[in-house]
Amino acid sequence: MEAFVFVAHNMVKLIGILYVVQLLVGAFNWSARDTNVIYRLLRFLTSPVTRAVRAVTPAAVSDKYVPVVAFGLLFWIYIALIALRLYARRPELFQ
């Protein structure tokens, strides 16, 4: 169980970092970001999470906001996994 939580924690952290890097790369040349090879690679790496979040968000949410929602969701999953790892190591803190 602890190994699964460890792997999930690091995967969520990695995908969150990829979203932040994608934002930073896109910010340097916002108008031509879709032609940037690095930006397209980062978008490809984060696309499974973006598609999953698009599937659960209402249709009223525009497609340009879905990566922001995905990052927010990943942030809260990251916080929950930190609490779960802390509970697994020191359960007396939660009594």
Side-chain angles (χ1 to χ4, degrees):
M1 175 68 176
E2 189 172 336
F4 172 75
V5 173
F6 176 76
V7 170
H9 180 261
N10 285 321
M11 288 295 291
V12 168
K13 185 182 353 179
L14 175 66
I15 296 169
I17 290 170
L18 288 175
Y19 272 117
V20 170
V21 171
Q22 182 180 0
L23 175 68
L24 292 175
V25 169
F28 285 115
N29 194 2
W30 193 259
S31 61
R33 68 186 183 275
D34 290 328
T35 60
N36 188 333
V37 176
I38 303 299
Y39 184 84
R40 287 190 297 157
L41 174 68
L42 292 168
R43 189 174 60 192
F44 172 74
L45 291 174
T46 58
S47 65
V49 176
T50 304
R51 274 185 274 143
V53 170
R54 176 75 262 179
V56 297
T57 54
V61 177
S62 176
D63 283 341
K64 67 181 181 178
Y65 298 118
V66 172
V68 176
V69 174
F71 181 78
L73 184 64
L74 284 172
F75 173 77
W76 289 111
I77 291 172
Y78 183 73
I79 297 298
L81 287 171
I82 288 174
L84 187 62
R85 287 182 72 187
L86 187 61
Y87 180 75
R89 290 184 182 171
R90 305 219 15 221
E92 69 273 2
L93 295 175
F94 292 89
Q95 293 179 5

